[in-house]
Amino acid sequence: MFSILRSILTVFMTMFRKRITVQYPEERSTLAPRWRGRIILSRDPDGRERCVACHLCAVACPVDCISLQATEDQMGRRYPEFFRINFSRCIFCGYCEEACPTCAIQLTPDFEMGEYLRTNLVYEKEDLLISGPGKYPGYNYYREAGLEIGGKAKGEGSQDEPPVDVKSLLP
Amino acid sequence: MVTIFIDNKPHQVKPDQNLLQACLSLGFDLPYFCWHPALHAVGACRQCAVKQYKDDKDAKGRIIMSCMTPVSEGLRISVDDPEARAFRKGIVEQLMLNHPHDCPVCDEGGECHLQDMTVMTGHNYRRSRFRKRTHQNQDLGPFLNHEMNRCIQCYRCVRFYRGVAGGRDLNVFGAHDHVYFGRHADGPLESEFSGNLIEICPTGVFTDKTLKEHYTRKWDLQTAPSICVHCGVGCNTIAGERYGSLRRIMNRYNRDINGYFLCDRGRFGYEFVNSHKRIRTPLVKSPSPPAGEGRGEGGKPADRETVLTHIADILSKAKGVIAIGSPRASLESNFALRTLAGENSFFSGIGNEEQSLVSLIIDIQKNSPASSPSLREIQAADAVLILGEDLPNTAPLMALAVRQASRNKQFEIAAAMKLPLWDDNAVRNAGQSAKSPVYIISPAETRLDDVAAKTAHVPIQDIVRLASAISQKLDPNIPPLSSGERTEVRGQDVDALAKEIATVLMNAKHPLIVSGTGCQSTGVVQTAANIARALQLKGKAVQLAFAVHECNTLGAALLGGRTLDEAFTVMQDGLADTVIILENDLYRRADEASVEQFLGRAKNIIVLDHIMHRTADQADVVLPAATFAESSGTLINYETRPQRYNEVFVPRGDIQAGWKWINAIMMATQHPAPGGFATLDDIIRKMSRELPLFAELADLVPPAGFRIAGQKVPRQSHRYSGRTSMIADRTVHEPKPAYDADSPLAFSMEGSEQQPPAPLISRYWSPGWNSVQALNRFQQEVGGDLRKESTGTRLIKMIGGQSEYFRIDLSEDPAESPQYFIFGSEELSNLSPALGKRRPMDDQQDPRMTM
Ligand code: SF4
Ligand code: SF4
Ligand code: SF4
Ligand code: SF4
Ligand code: FES
């Protein structure tokens, strides 16, 4: 008996609380930068595609909605030949962002993706790629990797010694 | 069996192995780098540390390298000991000091032994703030990438390349932490086994350059157990596909055949599957031009129904049909064709000389008491005589096996000194340059000559002379050559050499004679058989191996087709006006003029094949047949061992297996043969009923209905990605995975995760083991049999003991032998761009051997 009364009272009291419903879309609340919405591919500080086509986001995705194909330019720099996210399957879990070693793939605070056709929810690389570094401004993966790519010779990486002279016996 | 105690629990293990091997076989996750079941132990990497205790009272113990410790009764160790763990973690941390930050762009990533071991030891964070050593890379040719930064100095590559494969152009250079693994200068790696470095190297230093062209991670490949189609050895492979194209070939362990290795033709020849020369739709030239007149340019694409009706029409009006099979088509396709056309109209499609030679070889295998050895048995031989066969070019893995056989002397010496045979350096040191005797008598130098005790490079007739002399030394009752005996050939004293070889063979425990179809000489094959028989009569357990050059040469021959010459005659006599050619380019089988004439006379030519070639160009109807990657079937290797290859992916459009096309034709023509060939099992059942030789074929592989706990065996890994997105550019509706009615494998990631029977293993993976070395977990004991092992048996079991010696007639033998090239002599692999770059200059080749 008491608990019934208490419940009724609780519901009644709610009527006097401050309203938090916003009149979307006229009114919008601010979303935190780490909100998990529409996925983008970012560029490194030099303006080049960050994604190195490592396939980690694709394998991390629990609904398998990311597919891509790796390829390389003449300079030895790996990038995705195509990169596709089927947003009609995506559950915005953010695992891909977590898996990405290059900060390329990021979830953004945008959820307004309503479409009448499911096919319109299939985003290709052109639709995903933005022109800036997104949430992580400084990082440039290829500067850290030991790989030689155009514009960066062996040993010029940020963590590298100059290449060894194999013929030298000096310690 | 001895008992050892690991973390105070007793375990029974085999005595003749090292502790690492024992621990891995028992299922312990013990990290290691430099040890490999095929390379044995050298104790270079210090990764496999465990703690050893004197007795159960000893609480302190000491750290030892498990790979350098023999197991012994009562041995007490701890894998789990905190100090041992810390030691192992420290080793990985040290290796990681200089290891680049490359995994995302490293082709080894996801199947990297170093990654696995790093995770296994728990080294998660880099503490070092120092810079990393770097190295310049080399251009190692079309097969391998080289990224020396990633090297962890385990020395496996040079130990394999020099010690196992006998290569000379890869070595270690430099000093201290600068050591460098590569060639003295840029250039393609010369050894035909260089591709194995991909699997041997535990890191991403050597990776597959052909895979890089269409890079796919291991977990994204749809894979199926397959068989190499590029020579008669029949190595087991795992073929992987993604987005409808074949991406790479990896080794599939088969204890009896290829073990851990493949040759470069087998590993990199796969790209013909993706070739622009592929036939992808049925092509019809209509109306068929009248016989004898030039045939117009290529046919027009037609749909399946039209083309089948057209063929039914052709066949119903035909005056007679000639069906030509192929030594590179599956047994099933050949059999289906044989059923379609009838036994008397089936021609095996092997060149004439070769066919008579192959029939002879089959006869010998049926009647000779000398057994036909598997590669494992070849490897166990302690004296080898090679007659006329250029093994490194015609049967590469057989050459590798002979090379290993030459080391048996070293093992013998080491065993006499009571050294453990897994201690690689000790064995090599004890044996020094001692070698088991290998004699090579061949028309030209071979890349195996360096292990030979003696070689004789003489023309074919002299090979026969020498071999005949050897056989007579063994048994004077052997009839001498009908003519042309000589006492000296090319400066070699026949008598002395024959005597030496005969004595060596007589003194050996497991003598082995190797020959093959390479010389296209009956005499060579017959003398080889004579020698084997003579040895057998002396009570030797002799083995006799014949190399054949195509993946199903013996299969096509065992079906008993008639010869090509007969086909030509039938056409000439006007007894037939229609030919059906299965996966065969006749221009490679007979001289140009006769083929031209033959095809010119034919009113209708129907060709089933996967690639366009000169024969297909002339066809009125071309049907797109599936390659090994898009269909399932059986191939019979040089020792008559049938092996199943499985469809890796569903081909697009109308492409289907040769036998499925033939079945469709039989349906369209209302062929009287009872029962259709709807599935592979149907056809095999029918084959084993009709031809007693193939009676056991049905037991070779579990039938299509086989299930593990009610489930099929998945072709895709449980991490397979992109399922809901890979075709989303075309449709957002995900179709049901195709159903495979021919095998227990599924085109899906769903299915049983249990280890399937050996012929159904489509990938090696086990928790914590993502690299190829997960294979350890599939074996009963590391380096031994697989769990649920079944390598199949030879179709021809030793029957005889009754055979007579051959009487050899020298005049039948060709004066010159064709030259073979591992890269270039085989039709299909030739279409692979990477292989093409290693092809010798065209003017060195027999025109029949090129495209
Ligand atoms: S994880 Fe990052 S770098 Fe790797 S494929 Fe995905 S987006 Fe590209
Ligand atoms: S070798 Fe292994 S650990 Fe090293 S970069 Fe490649 S994948 Fe990573
Ligand atoms: S290249 Fe590979 S196999 Fe050779 S030493 Fe380095 S890590 Fe070991
Ligand atoms: S030896 Fe023959 S069967 Fe084996 S991989 Fe090489 S080509 Fe293929
Ligand atoms: S595996 Fe034992 S030291 Fe390398």
Side-chain angles (χ1 to χ4, degrees):
Chain A
M1 185 64 194
F2 171 74
S3 71
I4 291 174
L5 283 178
R6 191 182 57 185
S7 306
I8 290 172
L9 191 72
T10 313
V11 172
F12 187 75
M13 294 298 284
T14 315
M15 290 172 26
F16 303 103
R17 282 233 202 101
K18 184 171 169 257
R19 301 287 186 275
I20 50 170
T21 310
V22 266
Q23 290 305 318
Y24 178 85
E26 287 77 30
E27 231 180 284
R28 287 155 191 267
S29 57
T30 20
L31 298 174
R34 61 173 198 183
W35 169 272
R36 298 199 308 266
R38 182 173 53 90
I39 300 171
I40 54 102
L41 287 175
S42 61
R43 288 175 188 272
D44 66 22
D46 302 340
R48 311 192 55 179
E49 251 177 81
R50 249 181 184 159
C51 173
V52 300
C54 71
H55 291 82
L56 285 179
C57 49
V59 72
C61 178
V63 290
D64 287 349
C65 72
I66 304 179
S67 63
L68 66 150
Q69 173 59 55
T71 186
E72 260 170 35
D73 65 11
Q74 301 93 321
M75 317 289 262
R77 190 183 162 108
R78 190 168 284 192
Y79 68 98
E81 188 178 334
F82 75 84
F83 193 110
R84 181 182 309 131
I85 301 184
N86 179 358
F87 279 113
S88 75
R89 289 289 186 189
C90 180
I91 56 171
F92 300 95
C93 62
Y95 281 12
C96 50
E97 175 167 354
E98 213 160 302
C100 182
T102 68
C103 304
I105 196 165
Q106 298 174 13
L107 280 77
T108 62
D110 171 20
F111 55 86
E112 290 165 321
M113 304 175 68
E115 292 283 356
Y116 286 103
L117 276 178
R118 271 176 72 193
T119 33
N120 293 345
L121 285 167
V122 177
Y123 282 39
E124 298 289 339
K125 190 165 93 177
E126 302 75 75
D127 313 318
L128 297 164
L129 203 58
I130 62 165
S131 51
K135 286 183 272 186
Y136 309 99
Y139 193 65
N140 185 340
Y141 171 77
Y142 276 116
R143 271 195 221 135
E144 313 293 323
L147 215 62
E148 176 180 353
I149 53 159
K152 183 193 117 193
K154 265 288 167 74
E156 289 179 2
S158 68
Q159 308 182 33
D160 295 344
E161 297 274 8
V164 159
D165 174 10
V166 179
K167 292 187 178 131
S168 156
L169 289 176
L170 295 177
Chain B
M1 284 291 181
V2 295
T3 311
I4 61 171
F5 295 87
I6 304 179
D7 292 311
N8 286 324
K9 288 204 189 72
H11 294 275
Q12 295 281 317
V13 297
K14 275 213 199 145
D16 54 348
Q17 50 179 343
N18 63 48
L19 185 54
L20 173 63
Q21 202 172 358
C23 289
L24 290 171
S25 303
L26 289 170
F28 285 90
D29 278 343
L30 190 54
Y32 65 88
F33 288 114
C34 65
W35 176 81
H36 183 285
L39 303 181
H40 307 302
V42 290
C45 70
R46 317 320 274 171
Q47 184 59 66
C48 59
V50 295
K51 212 161 206 192
Q52 184 185 1
Y53 300 96
K54 275 211 289 286
D55 48 40
D56 54 349
K57 306 224 171 46
D58 180 5
K60 207 156 159 260
R62 63 191 179 102
I63 297 233
I64 53 157
M65 291 307 126
S66 60
C67 71
M68 297 308 285
T69 310
V71 294
S72 53
E73 182 62 39
L75 182 71
R76 279 185 174 272
I77 60 150
S78 167
V79 174
D80 225 13
D81 177 80
E83 236 173 41
R85 278 173 169 281
F87 185 96
R88 298 197 294 257
K89 188 168 167 184
I91 294 289
V92 165
E93 183 163 19
Q94 283 181 33
L95 293 175
M96 281 296 171
L97 289 184
N98 282 322
H99 200 78
H101 188 58
D102 271 4
C103 298
V105 286
C106 175
D107 288 2
E108 194 84 352
E111 50 181 324
C112 174
H113 188 62
L114 178 58
Q115 279 181 335
D116 288 351
M117 297 301 106
T118 308
V119 173
M120 192 179 285
T121 53
H123 168 62
N124 296 338
Y125 293 98
R126 181 177 177 82
R127 294 188 290 167
S128 160
R129 282 172 293 121
F130 295 98
R131 288 169 173 267
K132 298 174 180 183
R133 174 216 64 205
T134 58
H135 278 295
Q136 299 291 6
N137 301 332
Q138 288 179 328
D139 180 356
L140 297 180
F143 298 150
L144 295 175
N145 302 306
H146 190 223
E147 184 52 64
M148 251 311 285
N149 284 359
R150 300 173 187 152
C151 177
I152 56 165
Q153 301 86 34
C154 69
Y155 283 71
R156 269 193 193 184
C157 49
V158 286
R159 289 175 57 223
F160 165 75
Y161 196 85
R162 304 180 72 87
V164 175
R168 297 168 56 85
D169 59 331
L170 181 87
N171 213 338
V172 49
F173 304 95
H176 54 89
D177 61 341
H178 287 175
V179 289
Y180 187 90
F181 296 82
R183 297 183 82 248
H184 68 287
D186 283 14
L189 284 170
E190 282 159 14
S191 167
E192 60 272 26
F193 303 106
S194 65
N196 294 304
L197 292 173
I198 296 164
E199 295 181 48
I200 285 285
C201 175
T203 72
V205 175
F206 299 105
T207 49
D208 187 337
K209 207 176 237 178
T210 66
L211 172 68
K212 204 188 187 79
E213 293 293 309
H214 38 226
Y215 184 67
T216 310
R217 294 266 182 231
K218 179 183 180 183
W219 64 67
D220 278 343
L221 289 169
Q222 171 161 276
T223 47
S226 194
I227 303 294
C228 177
V229 295
H230 301 297
C231 87
V233 173
C235 296
N236 290 202
T237 60
I238 292 178
E241 170 266 2
R242 179 83 177 172
Y243 301 134
S245 71
L246 196 63
R247 301 276 161 121
R248 75 158 171 200
I249 299 289
M250 290 285 266
N251 170 274
R252 182 161 61 93
Y253 179 79
N254 183 318
R255 166 197 76 177
D256 285 344
I257 304 181
N258 49 320
Y260 288 86
F261 305 121
L262 292 179
C263 79
D264 289 355
R265 184 199 273 179
R267 191 183 293 271
F268 302 111
Y270 69 91
E271 283 190 283
F272 76 91
V273 173
N274 309 330
S275 159
H276 63 276
K277 283 202 179 173
R278 277 302 294 281
I279 303 162
R280 296 194 178 272
T281 53
L283 301 171
V284 178
K285 271 181 208 161
S286 59
S288 301
E293 285 181 26
R295 290 166 196 274
E297 286 301 295
K300 296 217 166 44
D303 67 52
R304 194 186 140 93
E305 296 318 314
T306 326
V307 78
L308 283 173
T309 332
H310 185 56
I311 292 176
D313 187 46
I314 291 178
L315 291 182
S316 66
K317 292 194 193 126
K319 256 204 310 181
V321 178
I322 289 175
I324 299 180
S326 166
R328 66 167 165 85
S330 69
L331 194 60
E332 288 79 1
S333 294
N334 276 309
F335 178 74
L337 187 66
R338 183 177 179 271
T339 315
L340 171 72
E343 209 182 320
N344 283 328
S345 308
F346 178 67
F347 301 82
S348 62
I350 308 175
N352 284 314
E353 302 90 14
E354 199 181 342
Q355 180 155 1
S356 60
L357 217 52
V358 173
S359 313
L360 175 65
I361 287 175
I362 291 175
D363 267 0
I364 293 173
Q365 293 199 344
K366 276 188 183 150
N367 298 319
S368 155
S371 66
S372 165
S374 66
L375 292 193
R376 185 162 75 148
E377 288 162 334
I378 289 182
Q379 209 160 323
D382 56 356
V384 185
L385 171 62
I386 300 176
L387 286 177
E389 194 68 25
D390 180 4
L391 287 183
N393 282 321
T394 61
L397 258 277
M398 201 187 281
L400 190 66
V402 170
R403 188 176 284 282
Q404 305 320 304
S406 75
R407 285 198 59 211
N408 285 335
K409 185 80 193 167
Q410 288 188 351
F411 287 109
E412 207 179 282
I413 294 171
M417 295 166 80
K418 300 219 162 35
L419 291 172
L421 298 185
W422 45 258
D423 190 341
D424 195 42
N425 280 342
V427 170
R428 285 179 195 270
N429 218 345
Q432 292 293 319
S433 56
K435 285 197 185 75
S436 298
V438 175
Y439 289 91
I440 302 178
I441 305 178
S442 62
E445 285 170 9
T446 73
R447 287 193 298 280
L448 202 56
D449 287 359
D450 59 314
V451 297
K454 255 191 202 149
T455 58
H457 301 134
V458 294
I460 292 173
Q461 300 208 337
D462 289 343
I463 297 178
V464 180
R465 286 193 181 100
L466 270 170
S468 162
I470 297 169
S471 63
Q472 269 159 11
K473 286 272 176 289
L474 290 165
D475 186 348
N477 296 331
I478 294 180
L481 288 182
S482 47
S483 64
E485 293 222 45
R486 283 189 204 160
T487 55
E488 196 202 80
V489 295
R490 293 272 167 118
Q492 307 247 21
D493 181 348
V494 174
D495 198 59
L497 188 60
K499 197 161 175 189
E500 179 184 335
I501 297 178
T503 322
V504 164
L505 291 175
M506 270 313 292
N507 290 338
K509 277 206 254 350
H510 306 286
L512 165 71
I513 319 295
V514 182
S515 186
T517 55
C519 286
Q520 307 201 333
S521 144
T522 338
V524 171
V525 169
Q526 287 175 334
T527 42
N530 279 358
I531 295 176
R533 173 151 176 76
L535 282 166
Q536 202 271 334
L537 287 180
K538 299 248 161 169
K540 288 271 147 196
V542 58
Q543 307 189 94
L544 177 58
F546 290 108
V548 293
H549 296 187
E550 275 166 286
C551 59
N552 202 19
T553 304
L554 287 187
L558 282 170
L559 281 173
R562 297 160 67 190
T563 64
L564 262 189
D565 259 354
E566 288 177 279
F568 294 169
T569 324
V570 170
M571 183 64 77
Q572 200 163 12
D573 296 349
L575 299 175
D577 62 353
T578 298
V579 320
I580 307 180
I581 302 169
L582 171 72
E583 301 178 27
N584 207 338
D585 179 5
L586 296 186
Y587 287 93
R588 291 175 64 90
R589 310 287 171 191
D591 62 283
E592 181 144 350
S594 351
V595 178
E596 292 274 310
Q597 217 174 41
F598 173 69
L599 294 178
R601 283 211 178 92
K603 193 153 141 261
N604 300 294
I605 305 172
I606 301 168
V607 168
L608 293 89
D609 210 338
H610 24 264
I611 46 170
M612 270 325 243
H613 42 61
R614 288 175 69 196
T615 310
D617 280 340
Q618 306 214 29
D620 303 294
V621 182
V622 180
L623 296 178
T627 62
F628 76 97
E630 300 144 336
S631 62
S632 304
T634 309
L635 301 174
I636 295 185
N637 82 346
Y638 76 95
E639 37 161 355
T640 69
R641 183 193 303 265
Q643 300 189 96
R644 174 79 61 84
Y645 62 88
N646 293 283
E647 191 168 352
V648 182
F649 63 105
V650 185
R652 291 211 193 113
D654 288 323
I655 296 177
Q656 60 177 350
W659 55 266
K660 284 194 181 162
W661 273 118
I662 296 168
N663 181 46
I665 295 174
M666 284 164 80
M667 307 277 268
T669 52
Q670 279 147 16
H671 193 273
F677 290 157
T679 68
L680 199 65
D681 283 346
D682 289 347
I683 198 166
I684 287 174
R685 224 173 293 131
K686 185 156 158 47
M687 195 166 11
S688 49
R689 258 199 319 266
E690 265 181 38
L691 304 164
L693 188 63
F694 299 106
E696 285 169 31
L697 215 52
D699 312 327
L700 181 66
V701 178
F706 172 85
R707 296 289 181 276
I708 301 175
Q711 290 180 303
K712 281 194 151 209
V713 179
R715 281 182 175 85
Q716 299 167 0
S717 79
H718 60 292
R719 290 175 180 156
Y720 195 79
S721 79
R723 200 171 30 95
T724 61
S725 157
M726 41 202 296
I727 59 160
D729 54 336
R730 276 167 278 147
T731 164
V732 286
H733 305 285
E734 288 119 31
K736 200 171 150 214
Y739 182 77
D740 184 358
D742 301 317
S743 81
L745 298 161
F747 295 104
S748 155
M749 55 202 283
E750 281 173 42
S752 166
E753 279 295 320
Q754 267 183 50
Q755 178 176 346
L760 295 177
I761 295 177
S762 54
R763 89 186 58 79
Y764 296 118
W765 181 86
S766 169
W769 298 79
N770 299 293
S771 74
V772 278
Q773 315 207 23
L775 167 58
N776 293 342
R777 289 285 183 266
F778 284 68
Q779 292 167 327
Q780 286 169 29
E781 83 188 44
V782 176
D785 292 2
L786 294 167
R787 293 173 215 278
K788 309 186 193 169
E789 179 63 282
S790 119
T791 54
T793 51
R794 293 183 272 267
L795 288 179
I796 300 180
K797 310 248 166 33
M798 217 193 306
I799 312 171
Q802 300 306 315
S803 75
E804 297 281 308
Y805 283 123
F806 289 103
R807 192 170 272 286
I808 287 133
D809 186 4
L810 257 190
S811 58
E812 282 176 16
D813 284 318
E816 263 187 66
S817 74
Q819 199 179 350
Y820 300 94
F821 298 97
I822 178 169
F823 308 126
S825 290
E826 195 261 341
E827 186 182 2
L828 298 176
S829 60
N830 230 343
L831 290 173
S832 158
L835 227 80
K837 291 191 193 126
R838 293 289 305 277
R839 224 159 69 180
M841 292 300 111
D842 282 337
D843 55 351
Q844 285 177 322
Q845 291 191 50
D846 182 337
R848 267 200 275 161
M849 294 293 159
T850 54
M851 285 307 303

